[in-house]
């Protein structure tokens, strides 16, 4: 079953203190006032936080899944994910949780150790 924008919305909003807000005409999901995921205007991909030093490795390993939007993502700690290439709900949850952990305030992360169990 293909991953959809609705799947993204449900998982993103299930993360602690997350909210949805339109920005640039697209749905974005935030924690602590910071965006951790945005849906593309055609609902086929998402942008998530990703350390710049990790992006090239992810793209090289799975170019059908991960990409950068040229001229837009070059100098930001973001990567794009094609929803059609996401294997299942567990993988989507992992991607969104990792992005949430990069944006969330430290006190909120500390209050939810279950979210960091897979990243240690």
């Amino acid at each position: 079953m293909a991953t959809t924008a609705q799947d993204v919305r449900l998982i993103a909003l299930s993360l602690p203190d997350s909210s949805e807000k339109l920005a640039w005409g697209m749905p974005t999901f935030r924690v602590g006032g910071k965006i951790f995921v945005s849906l593309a205007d055609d609902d086929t991909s998402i942008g998530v936080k990703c350390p710049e030093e990790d992006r090239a490795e992810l793209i090289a390993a799975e170019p059908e899944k991960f990409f950068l939007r040229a001229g837009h993502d070059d100098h930001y700690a973001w990567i794009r994910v094609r929803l059609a290439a996401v294997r299942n709900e567990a993988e989507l949850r992992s991607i969104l949780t990792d992005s949430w952990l990069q944006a969330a305030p430290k006190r909120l992360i500390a209050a939810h150790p279950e979210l960091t169990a897979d990243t240690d």
Side-chain angles (χ1 to χ4, degrees):
M1 189 152 104
T3 301
T4 67
Q6 187 60 19
D7 297 328
V8 172
R9 179 174 279 107
L10 290 172
I11 293 171
L13 292 174
S14 75
L15 294 166
D17 290 353
S18 295
S19 62
E20 182 174 349
K21 182 178 180 181
L22 280 179
W24 312 287
M26 297 175 288
T28 63
F29 300 89
R30 299 164 186 253
V31 60
K34 295 181 181 177
I35 298 172
F36 69 95
V37 63
S38 64
L39 276 166
D41 54 3
D42 63 2
D43 288 350
T44 63
S45 65
I46 57 174
V48 294
K49 292 190 74 62
C50 178
E52 288 184 65
E53 61 271 13
D54 295 344
R55 297 185 314 180
E57 184 178 336
L58 287 168
I59 293 167
E62 296 184 85
E64 73 288 349
K65 184 179 301 174
F66 298 107
F67 68 102
L68 297 178
R69 199 166 76 188
H72 187 269
D73 299 327
D74 300 338
H75 304 291
Y76 299 98
W78 283 84
I79 195 166
R80 306 291 164 160
V81 183
R82 290 181 185 90
L83 294 178
V86 175
R87 290 183 293 274
N88 53 41
E89 182 182 332
E91 182 181 32
L92 180 61
R93 183 171 295 281
S94 177
I95 290 168
L96 295 179
T97 300
D98 186 56
S99 186
W100 182 92
L101 288 166
Q102 293 175 66
K106 290 180 182 176
R107 63 167 172 68
L108 188 56
I109 294 170
H112 294 280
E114 73 279 6
L115 296 176
T116 60
D118 293 335
T119 62
D120 291 337

